[in-house]
Each structure stands twice: as C-alpha cells, then as structure tokens.
Amino acid sequence: MNFEKQDIISIHDFSKQELLFILKTAKLMEKKLNPNLLKDKILATLFFEPSTRTRLSFMSAMEQLGGKLMGFATAKMTSIKKGETLWDTIKMVEAYADVIVIRHPLEGSARLAAEASSKPIINAGDGANQHPTQTMLDLYTIQKVKGKLDNLHIGLLGDLKYGRTVHSLVTALSHFNPIFYFIAPQALQMPQTYLDELKEKKIKFFTASNLLKVSKKLDILYVTRIQKERFADPVEYEKYKGVYKLDTSLLPNIKKDLKIMHPLPRVNEIDPSLDATDHAVYFEQAANGIPVRKALLALVLGKV
Amino acid sequence: MKKEQSVSAIKEGTVIDHIPSNAALKVVDILDLRGIRSIISVATNLTSRTMGKKGIIKIGGKNLTKEEVDKIALIAPDATVNIIKNYDVKEKIKVAIPTTINKIIKCSNPNCITNNEKSMATKFYVIRKRPLKVRCHYCERNMDKEDISLL
C-alpha cells in the first residue's frame, strides 16, 4: 500500500484495509523512534481557526521525526484579511513546504486545498465536516485498549447531532461490524441520514436518552462535549449543557473492562474522579495523536 | 399532429420537447443558448396531452451532445431531445440524470467553501436519482431535491 503524495481529507476516502494499514504504521512509529526520518522535510501548519491539541501534536510529530516547521496559528496575520482566496494561499505555500496541514472554518476547504496543491494536504478540521486524523487516532486507541476493532458494543454520548468527531467515527467503525448505542437527548440525537446509512449497511444500533439503560452492554463509551458554539439560541444550550455528568456513581452499572473515551477538551461531562480508574483512557487517547500523525506524515511523504 | 409540425419546422438542429412550462427559460440558461447566433425559438404554455402545459425549444444548426442533454435533466426530467437532420428526426435522446453534476447547481450549505471562495465551480455526486439526492464533493453534505437551486 502506497500513500506517497496522497491527501488525507475525509474518512470517507479510506477503505478498511487502508485504515488498518495506517494503524499498523502508527504502531511501528510508537515502537521505534525515527529521529531523522523526515530530515530536511518542511511541514506547513495553516490554522485559519484556533486549535491547541491538533496543531501542537502535528508539530510535535514532525519535530520528533526530524522535520522542520512553518505556519501560522490564526488567520489574523495572513493575506486572507486582504481578500486572498484559499486557492492562491495554497498555491503560494506549496512552493515553500513538502506537506501541508490545514484547519479552516469552512466546510470543503481542505478538499479545495488538495486540488490546488501538488504537495500532500492533511485536513485538521474543515468546519463541521471532517477531522480524519482525530478519527484515526480514535480507532488506534480503541484497537490498543480493546486489542481489536471488530464486533464491539460502542456507546456514543453527548452531542450526536452536531458532533463532527462522532459522525466520522461512526463511518469508520462501520467497517468493523459494531453495535452502536446512541445516547443523547432527543434534540441532539444522531441525524437521520446517518441512521439511514447504518440501516443500509445492516449495522445494528439503538438510541436512548438514559445512559443507565444501556451502560452495562458497552465495551467503549465515547463521550463528547455539548458545544456552546453550535447553538444559535443560548437558552437551548443552557437546557442541554449539563445533561450528562459521568462520575463514580456510574461504576456499578458498567462492565469491568469498559473504556471511556473523549476527544477533549471536556467541560463537565466527565468528573475528574473517574480519571484515576482503569476505565479512563482519554489522556492516552490524546497522546495517541502523536504516533498516528507521525505515521500519516511519513506515509504521505513516502518515507515508510 | 401539432408535435410533428413543431419538430419538422427546422431543417437541421435540436428540438427539446416536453419541458415543464415554467422551466423552458431556465433550460435556455443552462444550455447557454443566449450566445448562439443561429435561430432559436422558445415556446411555453403549449397544450400537451400528457403534461397539460409544456414548453418546447428549437435550436437551429446545433446538435446537442449527450452531456449537454443531461444537464437539463435536473429541471426537465421528462424532456425528450430530438436531433433533426434534413427535417427528419435522426436521433431521439432520453434525458438522464448524470452521475456527477458540475457547475450548474448551488450548495445549500452557507458554510461550504463553494459559497465563499471567489469564482469557484461546484461539483456534486448523484446518490439517488428519483427523488433526486446529491452530495457536495466539497462539504460532503447531502441535498434533497427541495434544497437544490440552480446557479
């Protein structure tokens, strides 16, 4: 399998085999340090919208492989303010860098960037659409903590309506014969189009608003934040923001080997009292961003 | 029959029949016929046995390609296209919705890059033909027929 010069834009572009190959490469990256693998290669990080962990973890991954960095962390400093098109910005940057990571508030921006650039583009989030490297590190985490990806009972909790990570993860996990449990207040449940897709693929799923009704069945519980910025009406947000607060009172109602994930940042969905339990894997999950992003950088630059 | 007369009225060219009456002028736009120098006649609100009212467009001296024909499928799915040679119908082309739709429709997602980047072409994949459902190549959102608007 060869990923040289390929773009990483959407989880929809990847087959099961390709995803497994990327996870395998990430595992190699975790086992062996390759401090000179990307020597003399330059990564441009174009963050038109703020992000802490994604940007830092790409930068750290590139540094650990011996590569160099350039870029910006906010659109304020760029010619975008002067009215430059994204196409022109990318055309300029492709002359300076070997690989480009982009986060942009508009949906489809990464796809356009890939069409403009002859250098590989990695999507680090395009509006509410895709964030494929997050999905890949989520898969990597599940594979690592459960020893497999197939036939798992997976609960997704929180904002399932607007949550980009949830939608991509459901798409990716659909390759592995899961049973899904969508746990959310009715107004924030999984959009019908996704449920229809699952039906077409003959994948079993259940919806619930009460976590305790399904918690005993779960192998993985993926918790998401209810995001204030997604609500047009602040009153609506107030209604839902505190609906789920996981704490140690949950412990009698779950499997011993349930693992709790969260893409972070958390607000109050998971009480810190759960952090010390074996169930909490969210910090490990964040750390897994490094081997996965190392693997992707090395793959698209043709170095593994 | 009236239809026979309409079709045989031009010597060479294309006759597009069975267009919904209110869509005839849109078809002119989609096929970019305003720039053509040959004779074009557009008729709307003609009586039709099957449709009640219909529109017809006759384009002298120009044979539409299959690709051009498919463009009009979005607004005139039941149209028939007759290629005329020497007053005879030489070929009948059935309108079919293409598998990808380039440039002619607008993404309904205001946050899509195609609605924000200067002079950018749109592209959609047809995921269901009837009723029409398309997916934006860029923002990956699905649009149903009622959300589809022409550029």
Side-chain angles (χ1 to χ4, degrees), chain A residues 171-185:
Chain A
T171 303
L173 281 169
S174 295
H175 292 299
F176 301 97
N177 192 38
I179 296 178
F180 288 122
Y181 301 81
F182 300 123
I183 309 140

Side-chain angles (χ1 to χ4, degrees), chain A residues 119-140:
Chain A
K119 307 284 173 60
I121 298 277
I122 301 177
N123 182 7
D126 60 327
N129 184 33
Q130 283 277 323
H131 188 3
T133 66
Q134 174 72 46
T135 308
M136 289 169 188
L137 78 87
D138 289 343
L139 288 182
Y140 186 70

Side-chain angles (χ1 to χ4, degrees), chain B residues 28 38 61 65 68 82 95-97 104 108 110 119 122 124 142 150:
Chain B
V28 171
S38 60
T65 62
E68 285 175 303
N82 303 294
V95 168
I97 290 168
I104 55 175
S108 64
S119 60
T122 63
F124 295 86
N142 292 345
L150 296 171

Side-chain angles (χ1 to χ4, degrees), chain A residues 10 12 83 85-87 105-109 111-112 115 129-130 193 197, chain B residues 109-114 116-118 120 133 135 137-142:
Chain A
S10 164
H12 292 114
T85 59
L86 178 61
W87 181 276
L106 293 174
E107 287 127 41
S109 50
R111 185 77 70 189
L112 177 69
E115 288 169 359
N129 184 33
Q130 283 277 323
T193 51
E197 272 175 39
Chain B
N109 172 12
N111 214 27
C112 176
I113 187 79
T114 58
N116 293 275
E117 178 94 344
K118 248 179 272 168
M120 192 185 157
K133 190 175 192 175
R135 171 172 291 168
H137 166 68
Y138 291 96
C139 76
E140 305 189 348
R141 293 275 183 96
N142 292 345

